[in-house]
Amino acid sequence: MIGAGVAGLVAAVVLARRGIDTLVLEAASRARVESRPRAGLLGPAAVDALERNGLADGLRAEGAPHHNCEFRHRRRAFVVEYARHAGGHHHVVYPQQKLVADLVAAYLAAGGVIEFGVTDVMLDALTSDHPAVSFVTADGQRQTVESRFIAGCDGHHGVSRGSIPEGALRHIRQRDSAWAWLAVLAAVTPSTDKIIYGVSPRGFAGHMLRDHRTSRFYLQVEATADAADWPAERIWEELHARLAVDADWQLAEGPLLEPPNVITMDSVFYEPMRFGRLILAGDAARRVPPAAAKGAGLAIVDGETLALAVAAALHDADERPLNAYSEVCLGRAWLAQEASTKLLQLVNVELADPFARRLQDVRLDRLRTSPVAAAEFADHYLSPR
Ligand code: RFL
């Protein structure tokens, strides 16, 4: 496994527990992967995959079930009880870095080996029966390891996908959006018990949940925006204005935990998710914007699917699951992409386009008043299930 993110670690645990020799190579330190804040919201497919593999203890103990979300539109708040519209299926809020720490512990307990702090990872002989990985260890030794399969789980900017010859994968890219989201992480108790999507004439603002001491916020900004132009005072001022509601509600402020960053809303898929004996999983195979909170969930389920396919190939000489792997994972990922696209259409404000804004008003009014619209929202919000 190249990469000790959620995709690589889930794959590694599932394989190690089946008695298959594994090695995880991770560029960052253990301290870094176990403290890097990213996702918070996990959908039912990911939670089920973690449960199935006995990896959900931390999430069960400390995660918070999430059933409803709130929209703010024209200074009025309304709640969509999406779990009620989806037979009780819901999310769990659990910070990704805590899950990564749980997965590292589970993998080591299963006898797995991780090299943290590796550099200069190079992949070779990917179409042979014995693909190889060469890397430099944290203490400067170059090593080469031959294997039966390599799992490329090194995120969107990793080396795995880049080792595949030009032209072997299709790149399916969404055209650029005019908007991005400024992602902000603050040390402050959430001012809400449910995610808030604020749609205001100044643009979108989101109040997300992480844990009882930490909140994530998003602000819609121009795709060309520079995070340096967003000091804390400006961020809070804008959050107050965009989340304002005609009710007794206060937004609590707190120190920013990291510099804000601009997250573009572009999406790209690389298909198929396999080249010879290199199999891609998670963000290494795609970029789905974090708007609908799908990336980590997809990566977890990819990791499990990959491991089961490799186990079938190695234990039973059955390559059918491996041959189906890409199609199965892509089916889920495109569903998630559709949900992400719909959510962005619902909450991002086309500031200079009154026609689009009137349609957005209608979409939000339908979501508030129509059970059919709420059920449709719930289906997307929780997909893939
Ligand atoms: P990761 O988590 O990026 O892990 C890849 C790992 O590979 C390592 N690496 C290398 N290792 C060895 N050699 C190399 N050359 C390497 N290059 C990289 C990296 O150090 C890293 O440890 O990929 P993975 O496992 O595919 O997981 C994907 C998810 O992390 C990602 O999709 C989510 O974080 C997206 N996302 C969210 N997803 C959700 O499901 N729910 C959410 O609420 C949610 N919120 C978010 C998010 C992503 C965000 N950012 C930072 C873009 C919120 C934000 C702000």
Side-chain angles (χ1 to χ4, degrees), residues 175-200:
R175 70 187 156 72
D176 291 345
S177 158
W179 307 113
W181 283 7
L182 188 77
V184 175
L185 194 68
V188 60
T189 302
S191 303
T192 174
D193 62 356
K194 52 184 93 59
I195 287 176
I196 303 175
Y197 295 101
V199 179
S200 91

Side-chain angles (χ1 to χ4, degrees), residues 3 5-7 26-27 36 38-41 96 154 218 282-283 293-297:
V6 285
E26 167 57 51
R36 186 170 45 194
R38 306 184 74 178
L41 198 64
Q96 185 171 336
D154 46 352
Y218 292 118
D283 280 10
K294 303 290 186 189

Side-chain angles (χ1 to χ4, degrees), residues 2-8 25-28 33 36-42 96 118 121 153-159 183 210 216 218 261 263 281-284 290 293-297 299:
I2 319 290
V6 285
L25 300 178
E26 167 57 51
V33 297
R36 186 170 45 194
R38 306 184 74 178
L41 198 64
L42 293 176
Q96 185 171 336
V118 300
V121 177
C153 308
D154 46 352
H156 199 61
H157 304 289
V159 292
R210 285 300 181 259
R216 162 107 37 218
Y218 292 118
N261 63 322
I263 300 180
D283 280 10
K294 303 290 186 189

